[in-house]
Amino acid sequence: MSAAPETEAVIDRDYPVTPVPQHARKGFFSLMVVLLGFTIFTPTMLAGAALGQSFALNDLLLVILLGSAVLGAYVAILGWIGARTGLTTVVMARYTLGTRGSKLASILLGGTQIGWYGVVIGTIGELTAQAFGWESFAAKAAVMVVVSALMCATAVYGYRGMYWVSLISTPLILILAFWVMFRSLDEVGGWVGLAAVQPDASMSMPIAVAVTTVVGTFVSAGTQAPNWTRFGRTGRQAVLACVIGFLIGNGLMIFFGAVGAITFGEGDFVLVLFNLGLVGWGLFLLFGNLWKSNADAAYSFGVAGAELFEKPSKTRFVIIGSIIGTVLALFGVNEHLPQYLGLLGTFIPPLGGVIIGDYLARWRRTQMPEGEALPRANWVNLGVYAISCALAWFAGEFGIGIPPIIGVVAALVLSFALARLSPRRPLAG
């Protein structure tokens, strides 16, 4: 990968296709705020609602803990690599898959984030219309377009914009979410009453499917954690920030959704607030929460576009992706969220697994330096990715184990082993 000229590097202060220099690195608190704000994401509650109707409390907690632990560990390792290399996930893929093979990662990760962006925009339009009793499509569409423009502008502003939005909104949202949770517990007689509620037999779900659902809530976004952890000063800071964001933050949102489904028959706290007559607070939770999360999604497909077309700035790709996501929202992409989560839980993790295995075997000592001569396609790692996806898919189809874990482990082990058999770079000691 050739180094970008000095004049191009200043075009975008978020360094989408080059390593983040030391003078631009952030401290632990900044990383934690950004990642926690990323995962405090109300649509995640919809996955929790499905789990809440399918499991008794003890089993529910086990599923959430296991799924969140898998997600948190996976993201923490990728975040550690991001902080050490200073690179985004899609740029790291150049070293793992080749300069042309990495385009697969850019399309896959950027495309899924555009889909998430559309899901969020559609959710905002639907819930806002419900709050005000609007029935016309024009009213919903106007809301979608306006909020999309706001989120797009935040992503264009970059890391700093997302940090300040998250710093202000996340604590307020968490306070409100915990209040609603305790209000929900009052409806069923506290924790004892919650534990006594029996799951709906018609909504039963295999453990592997449930864990896949938990992992799938943020596995695509988690695979792109290096987009933010590359701003970290140390790998240790990045790991801790990822654990707080993806294990604790994401796990809480799933649990909140499950509690809402058990007590009110509604997993989304925004709708719970609406049902309690607190429309204003519901809208605050909706906009404050989704503004930050969707700006992150826009940022992700922006840097993916910069890598895909080898441009030094993410801005045009943030704008184009936001337009595409908004159009998807207008066509109702948010109605297909469960199927979307299942696909993400199967096909995204192996990509991260290949990057992790290849990094540990070949790049840990040299940290993927600029100017390295790279092949157009690393067919070995591309083959590992395809095989790992197939294994994860078959595992899901035949109910064998937990597909996301199978995909990640297979990709990590195979890519590491094959790199050790024929290393092209010095191995880590």
Side-chain angles (χ1 to χ4, degrees):
M1 182 179 67
S2 60
E6 183 68 24
T7 54
E8 287 190 338
V10 300
I11 293 176
D12 194 319
R13 287 177 291 183
D14 282 272
Y15 308 95
V17 292
T18 57
V20 177
Q22 286 299 318
H23 70 79
R25 300 294 182 107
K26 313 293 182 182
F28 165 72
F29 181 76
S30 176
L31 289 180
M32 181 192 69
V33 167
V34 170
L35 290 175
L36 190 59
F38 191 24
T39 56
I40 301 300
F41 180 58
T42 54
T44 301
M45 294 179 180
L46 299 178
L51 299 178
Q53 295 173 325
S54 303
F55 295 95
L57 181 60
N58 287 340
D59 292 335
L60 172 67
L61 293 174
L62 178 62
V63 166
I64 294 175
L65 180 61
L66 180 57
S68 297
V70 171
L71 180 63
Y74 166 70
V75 174
I77 297 172
L78 279 173
W80 172 71
I81 297 173
R84 288 173 63 84
T85 62
L87 298 174
T88 65
T89 304
V90 290
V91 175
M92 287 193 294
R94 291 180 180 177
Y95 294 79
T96 298
L97 303 179
T99 56
R100 289 293 176 265
S102 66
K103 306 313 176 189
L104 170 65
S106 295
I107 293 171
L108 183 63
L109 295 178
T112 53
Q113 287 304 291
I114 289 175
W116 263 122
Y117 188 90
V119 167
V120 171
I121 294 297
T123 299
I124 291 175
E126 292 292 337
L127 293 179
T128 303
Q130 183 174 336
F132 290 104
W134 297 336
E135 296 184 0
S136 72
F137 176 76
K140 297 179 186 178
V143 171
M144 293 180 196
V145 171
V146 170
V147 298
S148 178
L150 179 63
M151 294 166 179
C152 175
T154 303
V156 168
Y157 194 63
Y159 183 99
R160 291 169 299 161
M162 292 180 288
Y163 168 76
W164 284 108
V165 171
S166 184
L167 182 65
I168 295 169
S169 65
T170 302
L172 297 175
I173 290 166
L174 281 174
I175 291 170
L176 184 59
F178 273 107
W179 179 84
V180 175
M181 183 187 73
F182 289 120
R183 177 69 177 82
S184 300
L185 289 173
D186 288 341
E187 294 289 319
V188 293
W191 294 105
V192 174
L194 187 68
V197 177
Q198 295 301 308
D200 185 344
S202 65
M203 302 289 290
S204 63
M205 183 185 300
I207 292 290
V209 174
V211 172
T212 300
T213 299
V214 174
V215 175
T217 55
F218 252 89
V219 71
S220 175
T223 302
Q224 302 188 76
N227 294 353
W228 298 277
T229 63
R230 65 197 175 100
F231 286 93
R233 294 194 180 107
T234 68
R236 182 176 300 178
Q237 291 178 346
V239 168
L240 186 55
C242 287
V243 168
I244 292 174
F246 286 86
L247 194 156
I248 298 175
N250 192 63
L252 279 176
M253 298 309 287
I254 293 173
F255 182 69
F256 289 155
V259 171
I262 294 170
T263 57
F264 286 102
E266 178 55 68
D268 193 328
F269 272 17
V270 175
L271 294 181
V272 172
L273 288 167
F274 288 175
N275 293 335
L276 292 173
L278 302 173
V279 174
W281 284 111
L283 290 176
F284 168 78
L285 178 62
L286 177 68
F287 285 107
N289 174 253
L290 299 185
W291 179 7
K292 169 60 172 63
S293 294
N294 230 27
D296 285 331
Y299 183 92
S300 293
F301 58 68
V303 298
E307 193 287 324
L308 181 63
F309 293 98
E310 301 182 1
K311 301 295 182 181
S313 175
K314 69 183 183 302
T315 300
R316 77 188 74 178
F317 304 107
V318 170
I319 295 171
I320 292 171
S322 298
I323 293 172
I324 295 172
T326 304
V327 171
L328 291 174
L330 295 173
F331 281 94
V333 69
N334 56 299
E335 297 176 1
H336 304 289
L337 180 60
Q339 301 92 314
Y340 196 68
L341 289 176
L343 288 175
L344 296 183
T346 300
F347 296 111
I348 298 293
L351 177 61
V354 171
I355 291 174
I356 293 169
D358 189 67
Y359 170 83
L360 293 176
R362 297 199 297 153
W363 303 102
R364 185 176 179 182
R365 177 174 294 169
T366 55
Q367 306 307 326
M368 298 177 170
E370 285 190 273
E372 182 71 16
L374 300 172
R376 290 173 63 87
N378 185 324
W379 294 109
V380 172
N381 283 336
L382 287 168
V384 166
Y385 171 71
I387 291 171
S388 301
C389 284
L391 290 173
W393 184 81
F394 278 112
E397 287 293 302
F398 294 99
I400 303 171
I402 301 172
I405 298 178
I406 291 173
V408 168
V409 172
L412 194 162
V413 171
L414 287 173
S415 60
F416 181 85
L418 291 174
R420 290 297 297 260
L421 288 173
S422 56
R424 295 185 178 182
R425 297 197 56 81
L427 300 177

